Amino acid sequence: FSIFLPGAIDYAEGRCYRDLDLLATRITSSGSCSSGVNTFTLPTTQGTFQVVERVNILTSAGAPSSIATRNQTYVVSADVMDAVYPTAVSSYTGVPQWVARTTDTTLLFGPAPDAAYDVEVYGTIRPTPLSVTNSSTWLTQWVPELFMAATMVFATGFMRDFGQQSDDPRSAQSWEQQYGNLLKSANTDELRKKYQSVAWSNQQPSPIASPPRV
């Protein structure tokens, strides 16, 4: 059981966090770039970024975030950045306007910053997993039935040595179907929170009002 339980938790949390684009996994974290250096290491004080959604450069340099001006950057590929800003010489420095993600931990700025600006990063992380020392998570608090269904998919496979699911798949398939049904309703909630539901609203999708609203 001590071997099985961590695997069940990892499996369930991995599926839930990947299948649901949760607002609860979004954070804003800050760091500082270096003058004349076009690379920036993502901050990890609140967790490791999975998806970077927005990057703002705060001006003027050194200004506290409460009064600083947020300069939005726009995402491009690393190839575009290398073509437009091939070097970090003085003629190519300024307030960064473009950003490319080159590794899991590194962003590339264009142009290279001309001062040590604060950088504000918004995106998703993987929350601290359920464990003996962390007895409650967003999943166990708000979608416990979905989390349980995901763990049971793993559990039924584990009990049958996984390969035997092809011989007696009914139990695993039953929990997989239950997980799929619960996922739909949980995903609807998240879409409503982000105003990405029907007609980009926060309304519950209606089977009757199918034409897009204007």
Side-chain angles (χ1 to χ4, degrees):
F1 184 79
S2 62
I3 297 174
F4 154 77
L5 185 58
I9 292 173
D10 289 344
Y11 176 89
E13 290 188 336
R15 286 197 69 174
C16 291
Y17 286 133
R18 286 190 297 269
D19 290 340
L20 289 172
D21 188 21
L22 295 173
L23 285 175
T25 64
R26 284 170 166 76
I27 65 164
T28 300
S29 191
S30 300
S32 296
C33 60
S34 299
S35 178
V37 179
N38 63 352
T39 56
F40 173 75
T41 301
L42 289 168
T44 58
T45 53
Q46 298 183 63
T48 301
F49 277 99
Q50 297 291 313
V51 178
V52 173
E53 297 186 342
R54 293 199 307 272
V55 179
N56 294 322
I57 308 299
L58 305 187
T59 57
S60 55
S65 60
S66 58
I67 62 173
T69 299
R70 285 168 173 78
N71 299 269
Q72 182 181 0
T73 61
Y74 300 93
V75 178
V76 296
S77 70
D79 291 336
V80 170
M81 200 77 76
D82 289 342
V84 178
Y85 301 105
T87 67
V89 296
S90 59
S91 59
Y92 284 92
T93 61
V95 177
Q97 301 177 9
W98 311 96
V99 63
R101 190 171 185 178
T102 54
T103 71
D104 284 349
T105 60
T106 306
L107 300 180
L108 188 64
F109 284 147
D114 59 355
Y117 299 109
D118 285 341
V119 181
E120 188 178 73
V121 184
Y122 176 83
T124 66
I125 62 167
R126 287 288 183 267
T128 304
L130 188 69
S131 66
V132 174
T133 57
N134 185 46
S135 59
S136 179
T137 68
W138 189 94
L139 295 175
T140 61
Q141 286 184 323
W142 296 102
V143 286
E145 70 286 3
L146 180 68
F147 179 75
M148 177 59 70
T151 59
M152 288 305 297
V153 173
F154 180 91
T156 51
F158 182 88
M159 292 170 63
R160 296 291 183 179
D161 295 327
F162 292 97
Q164 293 188 28
Q165 290 183 79
S166 59
D167 300 325
D168 182 17
R170 289 170 295 179
S171 181
Q173 286 186 355
S174 176
W175 279 109
E176 181 67 34
Q177 183 179 10
Q178 182 71 2
Y179 174 82
N181 291 336
L182 293 168
L183 178 64
K184 291 178 183 177
S185 60
N187 192 45
T188 296
D189 275 353
E190 285 303 311
L191 294 175
R192 292 178 64 195
K193 292 177 188 177
K194 296 178 289 187
Y195 295 88
Q196 293 178 354
S197 186
V198 59
W200 297 96
S201 72
N202 63 350
Q203 300 302 305
Q204 184 82 11
S206 170
I208 298 175
S210 57
R213 294 188 177 96
V214 294

